[in-house]
Amino acid sequence: MWIANTINDLRKHRHALAGSVAFVPTMGALHEGHLSLVREGFAHSAHVIVSIFVNPTQFGPKEDFSKYPRPLEKDLALCQQAGVTGVFAPEPDEMYPPGQPACEVNVPTVAQELEGQFRPGHFQGVCRVVAKLFNMVQPNVACFGMKDYQQLQVITAMTHDLAFPMEIIPCPTLREPDGLAMSSRNVYITPQQRPKALALKHALDLARTMIKDQHITDPQIVEQAMHDKLQAADFAIDYATLRHPHTLARLSVIDPSVTGNVAALIAVRWPNVRLIDNQLIALGSLR
Ligand code: AMP
């Protein structure tokens, strides 16, 4: 497995590869969820390139950029074990040379609400770094987790609109045995908080039950029940909402003939950690 820290090195390694390439962009602190993206990459391509870069432009001024975990040696060992072809791990100055004029990449509609509302500038930062990485790595496919559901929709929209010559592969969310979605930020959760963190999954399961088994068609009733479930765990709730699965527009009614599926999305905060989770609820069988 090669490791490139500069764009020049990455390009040399990339151009020496024969056969198709899958790309898995990450911020490191790798867990099984990231490794499932690597496995999915190998299902589509001969090679998998992983990037490890804690991207400063996607963090707000009061967010956790400086304390974000950076266990690089452990991450490299996990990549090696997973059979990764090469890792791109640049320093911030390599990605954003000081003095170089910045380019903005916006996907206004899909990126506007939800994370876009509660983390202003976040998706501009994500789109800019991902567009740069796509141009550097030039993969045939890129794997993104449904864990960051809105990010997946934003990147898919950007890839189509800017005609990046690659396919975006959505990958299912990996969870701990009790249902908590795996995340690099789970290390911030205290042992006292840990049982309460399951309220996210429980609220998503409740939404599924209300829609699929109780046939509730008013989104506000389901959203209120999700809020109630989360409030019981002492979270500050950024959002707990049902949305169109691709545009992420609000729904006036839960109706398979209108949306196909429904995306249930949650973001909550404790003072020491912000958690997001989501579930795609298939409506096909309601018809
Ligand atoms: P991050 O390092 O958090 O920026 O995530 C890098 C990629 O891994 C993104 O495409 C995430 O959506 C994906 N990812 C993060 N957590 C999970 C998970 N629990 N299951 C599947 N994919 C994940």
Side-chain angles (χ1 to χ4, degrees), residues 51-267:
S51 66
I52 298 177
F53 180 59
V54 185
N55 173 37
T57 66
Q58 71 188 69
F59 286 78
K62 293 189 182 141
E63 294 183 358
D64 56 341
F65 173 71
S66 54
K67 74 165 181 174
Y68 197 86
R70 290 166 169 83
L72 185 61
E73 290 307 315
K74 185 172 164 234
D75 287 347
L76 293 175
L78 287 172
C79 287
Q80 177 112 44
Q81 279 164 28
V84 165
T85 312
V87 172
F88 180 45
E91 291 296 323
D93 281 1
E94 180 70 7
M95 289 299 282
Y96 304 113
Q100 180 174 293
C103 178
E104 281 199 357
V105 185
N106 287 316
V107 184
T109 47
V110 200
Q112 216 150 19
E113 291 189 44
L114 307 171
E115 293 301 285
Q117 179 187 341
F118 287 95
R119 303 184 68 188
H122 171 67
F123 283 125
Q124 281 95 325
V126 168
C127 286
R128 181 170 169 218
V129 79
V130 171
K132 287 173 74 114
L133 289 167
F134 280 0
N135 282 329
M136 293 166 189
V137 175
Q138 303 197 359
N140 302 93
V141 305
C143 302
F144 284 84
M146 295 177 75
K147 162 74 169 53
D148 299 278
Y149 189 84
Q150 188 178 15
Q151 171 175 278
L152 170 65
Q153 303 310 320
V154 169
I155 296 297
T156 302
M158 178 188 82
T159 304
H160 289 157
D161 192 49
L162 299 186
F164 282 101
M166 67 194 64
E167 191 187 343
I168 304 300
I169 312 287
C171 303
T173 301
L174 258 72
R175 296 177 180 279
E176 302 292 350
D178 63 3
L180 180 68
M182 291 181 181
S183 166
S184 308
R185 289 189 166 98
N186 288 353
V187 294
Y188 302 149
I189 301 173
T190 66
Q192 291 72 27
Q193 289 171 328
R194 181 63 181 74
K196 290 185 173 181
L198 293 183
L200 280 88
K201 179 71 168 70
H202 293 162
L204 294 169
D205 288 344
L206 177 63
R208 180 192 290 273
T209 303
M210 292 178 80
I211 293 170
K212 302 262 302 179
D213 300 341
Q214 299 169 15
H215 307 293
I216 294 171
T217 56
D218 181 347
Q220 286 185 5
I221 294 176
V222 180
E223 288 172 348
Q224 186 58 55
M226 291 166 74
H227 273 83
D228 292 346
K229 186 66 95 196
L230 294 166
Q231 242 138 23
D234 304 328
F235 289 118
I237 302 171
D238 283 351
Y239 55 82
T241 184
L242 301 178
R243 297 295 173 112
H244 185 283
H246 298 302
T247 65
L248 299 177
R250 280 179 198 285
L251 304 176
S252 53
V253 63
I254 300 167
D255 177 354
S257 67
V258 177
T259 64
N261 297 327
V262 166
L265 300 137
I266 291 174

Side-chain angles (χ1 to χ4, degrees), residues 2 7 10-25 45 47-49 51 88 129-142 164-167:
W2 47 261
I7 298 163
L10 168 68
R11 287 196 202 279
K12 276 187 211 142
H13 286 296
R14 168 65 182 99
H15 288 133
L17 292 177
S20 57
V21 169
F23 178 41
V24 178
S45 302
H47 305 284
V48 173
I49 297 178
S51 66
F88 180 45
V129 79
V130 171
K132 287 173 74 114
L133 289 167
F134 280 0
N135 282 329
M136 293 166 189
V137 175
Q138 303 197 359
N140 302 93
V141 305
F164 282 101
M166 67 194 64
E167 191 187 343

